[in-house]
Amino acid sequence: MTLPTCMVEPIQRQKSALWYNQPAKEWMTEALPIGNGYMGAMFFGGVEKEQIQFTDGSLWSGGPGSSPDYNFGIREGAWKNLSEIRKLISNGQLKEADRLASKELTGKIASGQFGAQQTMGDLFISVEDSGVPANYKRELDLNKGEGSVSYEIGGSKYKRTYFGDYPAKVMVYNFTGSRKTSYSILFQSPHKMNSENFADGIYSFQGEVKDNGMEFECCLKFDSDGKVEFANGKIVITDAKNITIYQVAATDYTMEYPDYKGADYIAENKNALDRLKGKSYEEVRKEHLNDYKGLFSRVELILGDTHRDSVPTDRRLKEYADGTIDPDLEELYFQYSRYLMISASREGTMPLNLQGKWNNSTNPPWTCDYHMNINEEMLYWPAEVTNLGECHLPLFTYMESLVEPGKNSAKEFFNANGWIVNTMNNPFGYTSPGWGFPWGFFPGGAAWLCQHAWEHYDFNRDKTFLQETAYPLMKEAALFWMDYMVEDKAGYLVSCPSYSPEHGGISGGATMDHEIVWDLMNNCVQACEVLGVDNKFKQKAMAVRDKILPPRIGSWGQLQEWKEDVDDSTNTHRHVSHLFALYPGKQITVEHTPELSEAAKVSLKGRGDGGTGWSLAWKVNFWARLKDGDHAYKLFRRLLRPVVNQRTDMVNGGGSYSNLLCAHPPFQLDGNMGGCAGVAEMLLQSHDGYVELLPALPGNWKEGEIKGLVARGGFVVEIKWQNNQLVSAKISSHKGGNCPIKYKDKNVNITLHPGEELKLDNQLKTSL
Ligand code: FUC
C-alpha cells in the first residue's frame, strides 16, 4: 500500500519529552506509557523497586469461551417488534415505544459474557543498590519513542531505557549502572498460572483467563554481564552492571468469527525470541529507532519556543492552567498523541481500545472496549491528517471481522441486509445493541466506522485499498440503511427507531443517524465513480442520500438534534452528536451551508465549553471547522487542565493527568487523539473540496511552522506563518493531481505531478 510518507526535511528542533523528577505513585495519572503496537506497558520509575505493568491488546475475558450460551448478544427474532415500535413512535406514544424497545431491541447477554480487556501482569524489579538518589529523572522521549529513568547513588550512575520494538514484537527494558549491583525480578499476574519455567536465561509464564480459558504466554529473556538465576519464584541477577530484559507475549485469540481462538501463541513467542538470537541490545534498539522515527518524524510542529524544557511536565501543566503561555507544551501534547498512536496501533495488532493498549485492571472502566458512538472513531481522527495512515489499518481489519456477526445482528434485530455494530463491541463479534437501551442502541456505528475506510482512501488515493477493503465494508453498511430507514409523512427517509447517542429519548429520527448515513451514501457514490462499478447501486445510494431528512434549524436557531424541534437550550450534555455533519462529517461547512453552520454554532454555544475529556476534544474540532481558532484554542487549553480525579465523572471533569493522558475522568485515550486532530484542524483543512491553509489559527499562535500534515488527495503540506499571517507553504504530492488551495480570501489551483513539490508565497503565488 502506498502512503504519503516522510516528505519533509527535518527541522532542527529541540527535544520533545515528558519528564519528572520523581517516580510515579499512581498508575493512571503518573506512570508513563510505552508500547510495541501489540503490547502496552506503563513504568513507574521507582529507584529501589521498579514496577512495569503490561498487557497484550488481545487478552480479554468473556466471549464464546465464557459460556456455551454466548450468542453475540443476539435476541433472535427481535425484529418482529419493529413495526409495533415504529407505530407507537409515529403515534407519539414514546414512553410505550421506549418500554418495548428496551425489552426487545437490546442485546441479550448474561453477566460476564461480554468480557473485558485484561491486564496481563506486572514486573517488579528490586535493585540492591538503593538509597536517596541524586539527579533523578523519569522521562519519555517522543523523538526516540523511549522511556528512561536516570539517577545517581553514592557516585554510581544508573540509567534505564525502555521501549517497544514493533518489528521484533518485543518490549525491551535495559538497566545499566556504573558499578555492579543485584537485581531481583518478580513476575506477577492476576491470572491462573498453568506453568512457569526457567531455562537458558528465559523465564516463561503460561496462564489463562479464568472465565473463558483464553491461554497466554509471557516470556522474559535476560541478557546480562551478571549471573542470572531463578530461585524462590524470582529471577535473581547478581554482580551486574548491565541487564536487558526482552519481553514477548501472545494469546491464543484469533480475530475469526465464531470461535476467536486457535492462534499458536507459543510458536509466536518462540519465533520472536529466536529472531533476537545473536542481536545486541544496540541492534534491537536501532531497529526500533528506525521503525519509530520513520513514522514519528514525518510531522514537525513549532508553535514558538518558550524555553520551558527545564520545567518538569507536571509543574508545567499546572502553570499552564494558571495562564502561562507555553506553546511548547501544546506541541508536546500534539506529538504525544502521535507517539501513543505509533506505540499502540500498528498493522497486525488489535485496534486501539478506550485506553489504547494501557490497562492495569481485570475490570477496567467500560470494559476497555471498542465504543462506537464517538470514542473508537475519535481514537483514529488524527491518523490520516498527521501522516500516520498505516496506524489506521488495525481498525479496518477489525471492521472486516465484524461484518459477519454484524450481518447476523442486522437480520435478527431489524430483518435487514448489511452489517451493523452498536455502541459496545468486544473482540468476540458482539455487534448487537447494548443491554441497556439508552446507551446501547446505536446501529449507526458501522456506517460511522466506514467513514474511516473512505477517508483512508481519500487521503492516500490507494485504489486497491478502496476496492478490496473500503468499498465492500461501505457497501454492506449502506445496504443496511437502505433497508432500515422508513419514509416519514413528508416523504423523507428517517431512522426509526433511533437514539441520539446517550441523550434524549427514543425518536423517529435522530439527526446524527441521518448525517452519518448521508455521509456513507455520499462516499459510496464517490467510491462507485472512482472504481467504475455498481452503477445501479450508485444510483440507489444517490437517491437515498437525497431523500434523507436534511439537518433542520429549530426555534431558537439551533441545529435540531432530532426530527422534532425539542432541543433544550439549557442542556449541556457531553454528547454533541447532531453536529457530526460539521465534524467529522462534511455535510455542513461554513462556505457551502452557511445557515446550517450558523445553527451548528448556536447549538454548540448552547452545549457550553465544559465536558468530559473527549467532549472537550470534539469541541476543539467543531470550533476549528467553524473557523473560530480562538474558541478552538480555548477548548484546547481546557483539555490540558490538570486533573487528579480517577473516579468517573460524566459531566464536567475533563482534562489531563500529569502524564498527559486524557482524563474523562477516568483515563480515556480518545481525548488525547481528538485534541491532536483538533490542532491539525486549526492549521489545515481539506474536507470541502480544497486545501485551506491556517483556517482557524488562534491569535495566541502568532508564529509557527508545521511540516508533514496530509490533505485529502495525498498532498503533504508545510506551512510557515508570522504575525498570524501566512509566510509561505509547500505542497508535495505522491500521486499527483489537481489541488485547489485557499488562504483567507485568496485561492489558487495547482496541479502537481507525482513526486512534485510546489512552493507558495504569502499571496499564494507559486514557484517550483
Ligand atoms: C460513551 C460516553 C461516555 C464514555 C464512554 C466510554 O458512552 O458517553 O462518556 O466516554 O463512551
Side-chain angles (χ1 to χ4, degrees):
M1 171 168 317
T2 12
L3 291 158
T5 48
C6 184
M7 297 183 70
V8 293
E9 299 149 27
I11 302 172
Q12 277 315 312
R13 54 163 305 124
Q14 61 192 40
K15 193 166 167 184
S16 193
L18 286 73
W19 74 274
Y20 307 83
N21 45 28
Q22 72 283 333
K25 287 198 189 84
E26 291 289 337
W27 180 90
M28 187 181 294
T29 61
E30 294 172 275
L32 292 173
I34 50 176
N36 65 6
Y38 303 90
M39 293 179 71
M42 296 271 261
F43 68 95
F44 286 66
V47 170
E48 272 172 54
K49 201 180 202 182
E50 174 62 286
Q51 180 179 357
I52 302 175
Q53 179 279 327
F54 58 89
T55 192
D56 173 278
S58 68
L59 193 71
W60 268 73
S61 61
S66 66
S67 159
D69 297 339
Y70 179 80
N71 189 27
F72 313 91
I74 284 179
R75 194 181 287 279
E76 275 156 29
W79 62 270
K80 289 177 192 148
N81 299 283
L82 207 51
S83 57
E84 178 63 16
I85 293 168
R86 285 179 172 154
K87 202 153 82 200
L88 290 168
I89 292 174
S90 144
N91 292 340
Q93 293 170 275
L94 296 180
K95 268 198 192 130
E96 290 78 0
D98 186 280
R99 210 173 297 135
L100 189 56
S102 298
K103 191 162 159 266
E104 301 294 348
L105 293 187
T106 42
K108 196 175 159 203
I109 190 152
S111 160
Q113 286 184 12
F114 183 85
Q117 213 279 322
Q118 303 286 298
T119 177
M120 193 174 273
D122 293 84
L123 296 180
F124 293 98
I125 301 145
S126 304
V127 188
E128 191 189 56
D129 191 7
S130 53
V132 181
N135 300 326
Y136 179 92
K137 191 172 187 185
R138 180 169 61 99
E139 190 178 48
L140 196 59
D141 181 338
L142 304 187
N143 299 110
K144 294 188 179 140
E146 278 180 358
S148 66
V149 181
S150 54
Y151 57 90
E152 287 165 34
I153 286 184
S156 181
K157 287 191 174 165
Y158 289 94
K159 168 113 192 209
R160 307 173 190 164
T161 307
Y162 307 146
F163 58 88
D165 179 1
Y166 165 69
K169 211 182 165 190
V170 63
M171 298 298 299
V172 183
Y173 315 116
N174 176 259
F175 292 69
T176 62
S178 56
R179 71 171 167 239
K180 288 182 178 174
T181 185
S182 301
Y183 297 84
S184 104
I185 296 131
L186 176 68
F187 180 100
Q188 255 184 11
S189 172
H191 301 291
K192 190 179 149 222
M193 181 173 85
N194 289 339
S195 71
E196 187 182 38
N197 194 30
F198 183 81
D200 304 327
I202 296 174
Y203 168 86
S204 63
F205 178 101
Q206 292 181 355
E208 75 180 58
V209 179
K210 213 160 138 210
D211 85 318
N212 64 1
M214 182 184 278
E215 293 175 12
F216 68 92
E217 182 190 60
C218 180
C219 305
L220 305 170
K221 176 182 181 310
F222 298 91
D223 277 359
S224 174
D225 58 345
K227 194 165 148 216
V228 185
E229 287 164 307
F230 184 66
N232 303 323
K234 287 183 183 174
I235 299 101
V236 180
I237 305 178
T238 40
D239 289 332
K241 277 189 175 176
N242 297 298
I243 60 174
T244 304
I245 308 173
Y246 299 97
Q247 180 183 35
V248 300
T251 73
D252 70 359
Y253 172 79
T254 321
M255 202 181 269
E256 260 171 48
Y257 175 83
D259 299 329
Y260 300 96
K261 201 175 172 72
D264 192 348
Y265 59 103
I266 294 177
E268 274 177 46
N269 283 343
K270 187 177 174 305
N271 291 342
L273 290 172
D274 283 350
R275 283 195 299 268
L276 291 172
K277 277 188 188 149
K279 277 193 192 163
S280 67
Y281 163 71
E282 280 308 333
E283 281 166 340
V284 176
R285 185 166 176 233
K286 207 167 152 199
E287 177 181 57
H288 154 67
L289 290 174
N290 281 341
D291 168 69
Y292 175 79
K293 287 183 175 182
L295 293 164
F296 185 78
S297 64
R298 291 174 184 177
V299 173
E300 303 262 14
L301 173 65
I302 297 182
L303 294 173
D305 201 344
T306 33
H307 301 291
R308 295 184 58 77
D309 283 8
S310 55
V311 182
T313 308
D314 43 354
R315 216 175 83 206
R316 227 168 142 180
L317 194 63
K318 285 196 191 111
E319 291 175 1
Y320 183 79
D322 293 339
T324 303
I325 300 296
D326 189 354
D328 278 352
L329 181 68
E330 294 161 351
E331 278 168 48
L332 189 68
Y333 187 89
F334 169 83
Q335 292 289 25
Y336 188 39
S337 302
R338 298 186 65 249
Y339 161 83
L340 293 162
M341 173 89 74
I342 299 167
S343 305
S345 186
R346 303 294 299 274
E347 189 167 11
T349 72
M350 299 296 286
L352 295 169
N353 63 45
L354 282 172
Q355 294 179 191
K357 295 273 159 74
W358 294 282
N359 167 29
N360 70 336
S361 169
T362 50
N363 182 24
W366 287 283
T367 81
C368 233
D369 76 337
Y370 310 103
H371 230 76
M372 308 304 191
N373 67 1
I374 174 65
N375 320 86
E376 189 66 23
E377 292 88 355
M378 184 179 282
L379 282 165
Y380 282 100
W381 283 352
E384 300 298 334
V385 65
T386 76
N387 218 333
L388 296 176
E390 295 93 329
C391 296
H392 216 163
L393 299 177
L395 183 65
F396 309 131
T397 309
Y398 179 50
M399 284 163 66
E400 288 178 317
S401 82
L402 294 174
V403 172
E404 209 176 334
K407 278 185 174 179
N408 296 340
S409 298
K411 267 271 160 309
E412 292 301 332
F413 283 96
F414 305 112
N415 195 27
N417 287 303
W419 71 291
I420 53 166
V421 304
N422 284 270
T423 309
M424 285 187 77
N425 297 262
N426 65 12
F428 308 114
Y430 188 99
T431 52
S432 299
W435 44 100
F437 187 69
W439 57 263
F441 187 85
F442 184 60
W448 190 347
L449 290 173
C450 283
Q451 184 190 56
H452 285 251
W454 167 256
E455 297 260 320
H456 184 70
Y457 162 74
D458 205 20
F459 273 89
N460 302 292
R461 297 292 163 99
D462 176 350
K463 272 199 197 171
T464 312
F465 172 80
L466 182 63
Q467 190 178 340
E468 291 175 3
T469 306
Y471 181 62
L473 289 166
M474 291 161 65
K475 187 175 175 189
E476 284 292 336
L479 290 178
F480 171 78
W481 286 96
M482 286 171 175
D483 282 355
Y484 185 67
M485 285 189 299
V486 290
E487 219 175 280
D488 73 357
K489 285 170 193 144
Y492 287 115
L493 288 175
V494 293
S495 166
C496 183
S498 71
Y499 212 106
S500 196
E502 308 189 34
H503 187 221
I506 193 166
S507 105
T511 301
M512 179 182 239
D513 277 0
H514 302 150
E515 294 172 339
I516 289 176
V517 181
W518 186 94
D519 191 82
L520 174 65
M521 296 298 164
N522 195 46
N523 294 338
C524 280
V525 172
Q526 290 180 68
C528 290
E529 276 162 13
V530 173
L531 296 173
V533 294
D534 276 353
N535 190 41
K536 228 168 120 194
F537 171 75
K538 180 184 125 183
Q539 296 302 329
K540 183 151 185 210
M542 215 183 296
V544 167
R545 177 193 66 190
D546 297 340
K547 214 177 154 183
I548 296 172
L549 181 72
R552 288 182 158 176
I553 300 173
S555 55
W556 45 282
Q558 89 283 15
L559 193 82
Q560 289 179 204
E561 186 164 352
W562 301 274
K563 184 182 163 196
E564 299 78 21
D565 188 0
V566 292
D567 304 73
D568 171 357
S569 61
T570 62
N571 188 317
T572 56
H573 195 270
R574 64 193 183 285
H575 282 270
V576 202
S577 308
H578 47 315
L579 268 53
F580 170 93
L582 180 66
Y583 187 96
K586 47 193 172 202
Q587 191 180 359
I588 297 179
T589 67
V590 171
E591 187 164 315
H592 288 109
T593 58
E595 289 89 11
L596 290 173
S597 149
E598 213 31 60
K601 192 186 282 183
V602 171
S603 289
L604 193 53
K605 281 191 180 152
R607 281 295 213 266
D609 290 336
T612 56
W614 61 259
S615 179
L616 297 174
W618 201 352
K619 289 169 186 168
V620 176
N621 288 278
F622 287 140
W623 283 110
R625 283 272 171 103
L626 289 169
K627 315 273 168 92
D628 187 338
D630 287 336
H631 210 134
Y633 181 72
K634 180 178 172 194
L635 268 303
F636 181 63
R637 280 193 83 99
R638 274 213 180 162
L639 197 54
L640 271 77
R641 183 169 55 179
V643 173
V644 285
N645 180 17
Q646 302 187 28
R647 283 190 315 272
T648 306
D649 179 340
M650 300 301 286
V651 185
N652 203 7
S656 296
Y657 293 123
S658 71
N659 53 12
L660 297 190
L661 291 176
C662 185
H664 174 289
F667 160 43
Q668 253 177 236
L669 195 72
D670 42 17
N672 288 93
M673 298 302 180
C676 173
V679 170
E681 210 61 27
M682 288 189 241
L683 302 174
L684 180 80
Q685 293 179 15
S686 65
H687 59 286
D688 205 12
Y690 51 85
V691 174
E692 184 165 7
L693 310 176
L694 307 178
L697 186 66
N700 271 35
W701 293 347
K702 288 206 168 36
E703 56 181 57
E705 189 173 345
I706 179 91
K707 280 188 175 192
L709 289 188
V710 185
R712 288 167 184 81
F715 299 102
V716 183
V717 181
E718 177 183 326
I719 312 170
K720 283 189 186 147
W721 69 95
Q722 260 171 18
N723 300 323
N724 298 99
Q725 304 292 324
L726 176 73
V727 172
S728 63
K730 261 192 218 168
I731 320 282
S732 49
S733 164
H734 252 288
K735 295 273 160 110
N738 183 41
C739 181
I741 299 182
K742 178 174 159 68
Y743 171 64
K744 293 194 173 164
D745 55 355
K746 296 184 186 68
N747 294 283
V748 67
N749 209 339
I750 60 171
T751 304
L752 290 166
H753 298 296
E756 197 181 0
E757 181 178 274
L758 231 143
K759 288 186 187 144
L760 300 170
D761 66 11
N762 64 353
Q763 300 300 309
L764 299 191
K765 296 248 162 57
T766 57
S767 62
L768 279 175

